Amino acid sequence: DARVTQTPRDKVTEMGQEVTMRCQPILGHNTVFWYRQTMMQGLELLAYFRNRAPLDDSGMPKDRFSAEMPDATLATLKIQPSEPRDSAVYFCASGLGAGATGELFFGEGSRLTVL
Amino acid sequence: AQTVTQSQPEMSVQEAETVTLSCTYDTSENNYYLFWYKQPPSRQMILVIRQEAYKQQNATENRFSVNFQKAAKSFSLKISDSQLGDTAMYFCALINFGNEKLTFGTGTRLTIIP
């Protein structure tokens, strides 16, 4: 049963620490997305990739956030340095693109708490 | 820019009853997909139903059906014979063919009462 895998599931860290979240998209999917979910802002798109190339990261705070796809099986989202306002659930999702079904398959999310 | 609006923050209904969740959207594109995603307490985002904008027929998936009104830009979800397992946050979402960005509404928290 193909699924998107995210690690860690939960992370508690102190302000100023570096945080790296990892995502393994579904094999064969050519688009990968990072979303952030908070009570106040809902689901926000941070960045997305097509065929490993970054297409849009306008939703991401550039000074502290970075997103990469070192290879087709791994996407990373890094926060350095982390701040309490970064506390949220971060979702990775993958899909075949809007030209196919448009559907995105989500991982279970990484809940980040920055103290 | 595309927007999705869900005007019902919370809803509750008795088990076995029917409930309808509302969603309106705005897009300048003519070709797009609309979705309803379910997020139970486990926080996993699960696709409930999908509608292609070029199809006039409303999508159905077992107890779930939509009322898609393209001219009015409305996309409501009807859950029939509601079950306790339907308790979750429900998000309406839109993706344009040429854009690939999935835009979500703010969600409706649905509680099924035993």
Side-chain angles (χ1 to χ4, degrees), chain B residues 45-94:
Chain B
M45 295 286 284
I46 303 164
L47 179 68
V48 175
I49 199 163
R50 181 181 75 238
Q51 175 79 44
E52 293 90 341
Y54 59 85
K55 289 187 177 180
Q56 291 186 338
Q57 185 173 7
N58 290 322
T60 63
E61 287 288 341
N62 301 314
R63 299 182 294 107
F64 299 87
S65 61
V66 299
N67 183 3
F68 174 46
Q69 301 290 328
K70 190 172 183 178
K73 294 184 177 177
S74 171
F75 183 61
S76 61
L77 174 70
K78 185 172 82 171
I79 305 174
S80 304
D81 185 26
S82 56
Q83 301 175 359
L84 298 179
D86 296 334
T87 292
M89 282 287 287
Y90 286 82
F91 293 94
C92 180
L94 163 75

